[in-house]
Amino acid sequence: MAMIMKMENHKVKAAKTYIDNVYNTVKERNANEPEFLQAVQEIFDSLLPVFVKHPHYMENGILERVVEPERLITFRVPWVDDQGKVRVNRGFRVQYNSALGPYKGGLRFHPSVNASIIKFLGFEQIFKNALTGQAIGGGKGGADFDPKGKSDAEIMRFTQSFMTELSKYIGSDVDVPAGDIGVGAREIGYMFGQYRRMRGHFDAGVLTGKGVGYGGSLGRTEATGYGLVYFVEEMLKDKGMSFENKTVVVSGSGNVSLYAIEKAQQFGAKVVACSDSTGYIYDPEGICIETLKHLKEVERCRICEYINERPNAQYFEGSENIWTIPCDIALPCATQNELDKNAAETLVKNGVKAVGEGANMPCTHDAAETFLSNDILYAPGKASNAGGVAVSALEMAQNSSRMPWSFEKVDKELRKIMTNIYQDSIKAADEYGMSGNLVAGANIAGFVKVADAMLFQGVI
Ligand code: NAP
C-alpha cells in the first residue's frame, strides 16, 4: 500500500512539474498577453489528474504543442471613412488547432482586440469545439475596429477590406469564420459578398452566420443564447430545480443576451435586467423582449432607450453594478472579465443559485473560485456557450448537402448537443475525481478529445 502511495505521489509530482514547466515557458514567451495567460492557466489547472492517469500525454509533449497556435496571422486593414480620410486597423486570425477539423471560430470587431484577446479566444475555442462532438478545429479572429458610430457605408468598406486580406487564408475545408462581438448578420453578409466576388464562385461553407436567404441556417441567430439556457436547465434539473419562476439577470444586450433572455422567459423565468457597456436597465415586471429586440436589432439603439418604451423600467449608469440586483440565476453574456470577485460575493450574498456563462471568460478567476467554493452551480462558457458554434457546424453540414433544415430540426439538435456537453462534462469530472466541477469536467473532456486526435496524427 505504502509503495502504491509512493508511486502515486511520484506520478502527481511528475505531472505537476510538467504542467508548471510548460506554463512557465508559455508565460515567458507571451509575457504581455494577460488574457491569453489567464485562459491557459484556467485550462492547465484542470489537467493534473489527466496527466497522472495518462502519462503518455506528457511523454508525447501534448501540452506544449496544444498551447502553441498552428498559425497566427496579422494584417493591415486600410479603409476610407465618410470624410474621405484614410484609416488603418489591424486584423488578426489565429488558426489554433485543426486536429479535429477545419479551424472554426468567430471574428470580433472591437477596439480592445489584440493578439492576447484573439489567442485567449482561439485557445478556448479548441476545447469548446471538441466538446460539441463535431468535426471542427479551433480558430478566432477580428480587428481593433470600433463599429460604434460608424455609418453603414463605413462598415461595408471596412469589412470588404478586412475580407480582401482574410480571404487568402480561409475556405470551407480550411478555416470557417463566423460572428462574435461587433460582427453580426450585416457584417457576415458584406464579408461573404466580398469573398464571393474575389473568388468568383459561391462557396457557401466559407462563413457561418449567413443570412437564411443565401445559405445561412435557421436557428443560428438564437443558438448561443438558447444553448446557454438549455445547458443551465440541465444543470438545474440535476439539483431538482428549473428556470420556472426564477428571477434572472443577464448582462449585455447583444446577440447572446437577447436570445438567452428570450429562452429563459419561455422557460418561465422573469428576466429583470440587462446591460450594455455604459449602463443597465431594470424592469421589475420582466423585460419585454420584443421591445428590446426591436431597439437593439432593428434600430441599433443604446440600451437606455428602453425606458422610453416601458414607464416602470429604470436605467442606471455603470454596467458592472448590474450584479447588485438580487437574482436566482445570473447569466453573464457581455465580455471577458466583466464579473469580478466583488460582484461574485454580492451575488452569493443575495442568494444566487446558478451562474451560466454566455460570454467567453466573463468571470475572473477569483469570481469563479467564489462560486465553486460556495457550492453555487457554475457553468463555464467553454461548455455553456458552445451552442453558437454547434449550430455553425450544422450550417456547414447544410451547406455541404445543399439541403436547408427546418428551425425545429436545428433547435432539437442544438438541445441534444447541449445536453450531451453537460453529460460529458459531468462524466469527465466524476472520472477524474472532481465530481460536480463543470469547469474541470469541460476542460478535461475537451482536452482529451483533442489530445487523442493529435496523438494519432503523429508529431504535428
Ligand atoms: P454583441 O452582439 O456584439 O453584444 C455584446 C454586448 O455586450 C453588447 O450589448 C455590448 O454593449 C455589451 N458589452 C460589452 N462590454 C460590456 C461591458 N463591459 N459591460 C456590459 N456590457 C458590455 O456580441 P455577442 O455575439 O452577443 O457576444 C457576447 C459574448 O458572447 C462575447 O464574449 C462572445 O465572445 C461570446 N460568444 C458569442 C457567440 C455568438 O454566437 N455570438 C458564441 C459564443 C460566445 P455595447 O454595445 O455598449 O458595446
Side-chain angles (χ1 to χ4, degrees):
M1 186 67 184
M3 185 65 186
I4 293 172
M5 292 260 301
K6 205 168 159 194
M7 209 172 81
E8 289 305 311
N9 281 340
H10 167 74
K11 280 186 182 175
V12 172
K13 208 171 153 199
K16 200 172 172 322
T17 306
Y18 171 64
I19 294 171
D20 286 349
N21 286 345
V22 178
Y23 183 74
N24 287 335
T25 307
V26 174
K27 209 170 154 186
E28 246 172 61
R29 281 189 175 160
N30 305 278
N32 299 320
E33 300 184 351
E35 296 85 2
F36 174 59
L37 292 174
Q38 183 184 345
V40 169
Q41 185 161 36
E42 192 255 314
I43 289 174
F44 280 20
D45 278 354
S46 304
L47 297 180
L48 183 67
V50 180
F51 292 115
V52 173
K53 197 165 171 182
H54 303 294
H56 67 285
Y57 290 135
M58 285 193 282
E59 288 146 19
N60 284 282
I62 283 292
L63 207 50
E64 47 270 60
R65 284 195 269 152
V66 88
V67 80
E68 188 65 25
E70 287 175 20
R71 202 166 295 107
L72 173 65
I73 303 151
T74 65
F75 51 94
R76 179 171 69 207
V77 189
W79 58 285
V80 180
D81 70 16
D82 285 349
Q83 283 68 49
K85 186 170 179 268
V86 173
R87 307 267 204 115
V88 178
N89 286 94
R90 184 171 287 177
F92 296 87
R93 186 72 184 166
V94 64
Q95 298 184 329
Y96 224 118
N97 193 302
S98 56
L100 296 179
Y103 310 104
K104 184 89 197 82
L107 297 170
R108 175 177 291 192
F109 290 168
H110 193 272
S112 64
V113 164
N114 57 32
S116 174
I117 299 276
I118 294 301
K119 281 166 65 187
F120 118 63
L121 291 164
F123 189 57
E124 293 231 305
Q125 195 81 43
I126 305 170
F127 308 104
K128 179 188 309 194
N129 292 4
L131 282 170
T132 68
Q134 294 158 307
I136 40 179
K140 199 83 191 185
D144 59 357
F145 169 75
D146 189 356
K148 275 201 201 95
K150 302 289 187 298
S151 70
D152 196 57
E154 288 177 321
I155 297 281
M156 185 172 73
R157 286 196 294 275
F158 174 80
T159 50
Q160 287 180 336
S161 179
F162 181 83
M163 180 49 88
T164 301
E165 185 62 25
L166 185 71
S167 65
K168 297 169 187 164
Y169 312 104
I170 62 175
S172 45
D173 291 319
V174 182
D175 183 354
V176 183
D180 190 78
I181 292 180
V183 179
R186 172 180 59 167
E187 291 74 17
I188 293 287
Y190 293 150
M191 282 191 266
F192 185 74
Q194 182 73 352
Y195 183 86
R196 191 174 57 74
R197 184 178 171 208
M198 292 173 66
R199 290 296 162 102
H201 66 167
F202 193 100
D203 184 8
V206 71
L207 289 171
T208 60
K210 299 181 292 295
V212 174
Y214 65 93
S217 175
L218 288 165
R220 175 60 187 91
T221 307
E222 296 83 352
T224 310
Y226 278 21
L228 167 67
V229 173
Y230 293 150
F231 188 96
V232 173
E233 181 78 352
E234 284 302 310
M235 184 171 78
L236 293 167
K237 202 168 78 185
D238 251 0
K239 300 287 173 197
M241 295 187 278
S242 75
F243 269 95
E244 186 82 42
N245 296 325
K246 298 289 187 302
T247 300
V248 179
V249 168
V250 178
S251 62
S253 48
N255 173 259
V256 181
S257 317
L258 292 177
Y259 292 94
I261 295 171
E262 183 168 273
K263 185 52 75 179
Q265 289 184 339
Q266 285 172 12
F267 278 6
K270 191 201 235 186
V271 183
V272 294
C274 68
S275 57
D276 62 18
S277 58
T278 32
Y280 67 92
I281 51 158
Y282 174 67
D283 188 338
E285 291 161 7
I287 285 170
C288 173
I289 186 64
E290 290 314 320
T291 302
L292 185 66
K293 271 165 69 174
H294 183 78
L295 288 173
K296 296 302 296 185
E297 290 184 331
V298 182
E299 295 193 20
R300 297 179 184 273
C301 293
R302 304 300 297 157
I303 199 152
C304 54
E305 302 288 336
Y306 178 87
I307 59 168
N308 300 331
E309 312 287 326
R310 301 272 292 176
N312 291 334
Q314 292 170 279
Y315 173 73
F316 300 92
E317 296 271 328
S319 54
E320 65 287 356
N321 295 327
I322 194 171
W323 306 118
T324 59
I325 300 171
C327 63
D328 301 304
I329 300 168
L331 302 177
C333 294
T335 194
Q336 64 275 354
N337 293 326
E338 55 163 305
L339 197 164
D340 63 10
K341 188 169 192 258
N342 274 343
E345 283 172 349
T346 306
L347 281 164
V348 172
K349 205 171 73 206
N350 287 338
V352 74
K353 295 174 181 68
V355 178
E357 295 185 337
N360 286 309
M361 211 166 72
C363 297
T364 63
H365 183 261
D366 290 348
E369 284 299 314
T370 304
F371 294 133
L372 291 173
S373 62
N374 282 281
D375 289 330
I376 306 300
L377 296 175
Y378 173 54
K382 205 174 289 112
S384 54
N385 73 28
V389 75
V391 172
S392 273
L394 301 180
E395 183 175 329
M396 290 161 73
Q398 294 169 67
N399 294 152
S400 303
S401 65
R402 296 176 192 268
M403 284 290 289
W405 295 7
S406 66
F407 179 86
E408 290 68 29
K409 182 171 171 171
V410 173
D411 193 43
K412 198 168 156 201
E413 195 61 30
L414 168 66
R415 191 154 190 186
K416 197 167 88 190
I417 292 169
M418 298 315 294
T419 306
N420 287 344
I421 296 176
Y422 176 75
Q423 297 298 347
D424 285 354
S425 304
I426 283 289
K427 210 167 112 204
D430 275 350
E431 192 182 331
Y432 287 91
M434 318 276 282
S435 281
N437 183 334
L438 281 168
V439 177
N443 285 341
I444 292 171
F447 173 81
V448 166
K449 283 185 198 190
V450 178
D452 285 346
M454 288 178 75
L455 281 185
F456 277 119
Q457 295 173 33
V459 178
I460 47 130

